Amino acid sequence: MGDDARASTHIRIAGIFAGTASGLTKVAVGHGFDTIKTRLQCSPPGTYSGAIDCLMKTVRNESVFALYKGATPPALGWAAIDSVLLGSLHNYRLLLIRHGWTEPVPGTDGRRLTIVAHGIAGLFAGLTSTILATPIELIKVKLQLQVQRSPADREFKSPIHCAREILRRQGPTGLWTGFGGSIAFRSNFMWMFICYETFMRGFSRLKGTSFEVGPGLATFLSGGLGSFGFWFMAIPADNVKNRMMAASLDAPRLSVIAITRNIFRVDGLRGFFRGLTPCVLRAFPVNASALFVYEGLMRMFGAEKSHLDLYAAGIKMYMLSMYD
């Protein structure tokens, strides 16, 4: 195996490992916020007056551990989802480099992806992850919406029981209920990575000034701030997706258009922004931590450094070898 092939394998393995660690970080930091968001979005109007009311009622009626209902599917699955998301993001970026979506790096002889290219890579990475993400998010949503304190009183006793019931009552396609909503939702990773790259470039321009920010802190801040851009754009599609997934197994499966019309008819435009408060509170710590772990591990393994050094030097043949 040549040096280029070994470097390619090293970067790919590092990307998978870093994506897995990133996904586990996201679950640990943010699942409680996500439970509140999901209940605000999918409960009948008037159930909760806001995020704090939802939190207090959940803890009072079901205990604090209720915030982590449905945590098992993402704990096991989001690691794989983020591995696919960030791993494919890395490869889409390389593909765009291969096809010339680059611009000069100011003050150097190197080149870098354009902001638009970062958005395109994020878009397709989000879409690529949809197939794996949909069944995991479906089971998570159904478990999160069970408000019974005792497990014996719940329709679904565990993630495995939930999956079995879906298969028994709806067949294999039932696991992809809400797929159209997932596509609409996950396409918004375009905005996430446009914002992320924009902030990273902004922090890089502070180098050499009294406001200089180190690479770790820049990654953390850019990830957190970029997540706000993602959620402000994605929250309407998230409402549609989660309401599609929340429907009873015995009810007809409604389309994206049907759910969208129903939200507008019942709540108006405001209905598409249900759950925004916990999203805003959750977005910074969750996404910043996840990206911090991912980028930090990539640097620790030397994978991102190898990519950036070769990229700056303009060695295009190395980039082409990543797709052999």
Side-chain angles (χ1 to χ4, degrees), residues 176-187:
W176 277 269
T177 298
F179 184 72
S182 289
I183 288 177
F185 171 70
R186 298 188 77 81
S187 67

Side-chain angles (χ1 to χ4, degrees), residues 52-308:
I52 299 299
D53 182 53
C54 181
L55 172 65
M56 297 302 293
K57 286 181 178 177
T58 299
V59 173
R60 183 172 63 249
N61 297 332
E62 304 167 59
S63 87
V64 70
F65 297 107
L67 296 173
Y68 282 84
K69 283 182 178 179
T72 302
L76 298 176
W78 278 359
I81 294 170
D82 275 11
S83 179
V84 171
L85 175 70
L86 295 172
S88 61
L89 175 74
H90 185 71
N91 286 317
Y92 285 127
R93 284 172 173 172
L94 294 175
L95 181 64
L96 291 167
I97 290 169
R98 177 179 178 175
H99 288 280
W101 288 69
T102 61
E103 63 186 11
V105 179
T108 73
D109 295 330
R111 298 186 67 80
R112 65 186 180 189
L113 277 178
T114 64
I115 292 289
V116 171
H118 277 283
I120 292 171
L123 167 65
F124 283 100
L127 296 178
T128 299
S129 65
T130 301
I131 294 176
L132 181 60
T134 302
I136 292 170
E137 291 186 344
L138 173 66
I139 294 171
K140 173 188 73 71
V141 166
K142 291 196 175 298
L143 294 175
Q144 285 176 318
L145 293 176
Q146 297 190 124
V147 299
Q148 299 84 0
R149 189 182 186 98
S150 171
D153 297 330
R154 299 170 191 165
E155 181 180 7
F156 308 114
K157 314 305 180 187
S158 68
I160 292 176
H161 180 251
C162 182
R164 285 176 176 170
E165 282 297 297
I166 293 170
L167 288 169
R168 183 178 69 83
R169 293 156 69 177
Q170 295 187 329
T173 60
L175 289 172
W176 277 269
T177 298
F179 184 72
S182 289
I183 288 177
F185 171 70
R186 298 188 77 81
S187 67
N188 286 283
F189 279 103
M190 172 180 68
W191 303 110
M192 173 71 192
F193 290 104
I194 283 177
C195 293
Y196 175 71
E197 180 65 16
T198 300
F199 282 115
M200 284 295 288
R201 292 186 184 187
F203 286 123
S204 72
R205 285 194 284 270
L206 299 176
K207 188 174 182 179
T209 73
S210 57
F211 300 101
E212 182 174 346
V213 176
L217 181 58
T219 298
F220 184 87
L221 292 173
S222 297
L225 294 170
S227 67
F228 289 131
F230 169 84
W231 275 111
F232 280 121
M233 299 301 294
I235 191 68
D238 189 55
N239 267 279
V240 173
K241 169 183 70 72
N242 284 347
R243 295 192 198 194
M244 293 174 75
M245 293 178 173
S248 168
L249 294 182
D250 299 320
R253 282 185 272 176
L254 299 178
S255 67
V256 171
I257 294 174
I259 292 289
T260 300
R261 286 175 175 170
N262 186 59
I263 293 173
F264 185 75
R265 178 179 59 82
V266 174
D267 291 330
L269 289 175
R270 183 178 180 181
F272 293 101
F273 292 88
R274 272 201 201 182
L276 182 59
T277 298
C279 278
V280 171
L281 295 175
R282 166 184 181 264
F284 193 98
V286 169
N287 290 282
S289 298
L291 280 166
F292 180 72
V293 168
Y294 177 78
E295 298 282 3
L297 287 174
M298 290 293 280
R299 281 196 299 271
M300 184 179 75
F301 294 137
E304 193 66 17
K305 182 177 185 299
S306 298
H307 165 60
L308 290 174

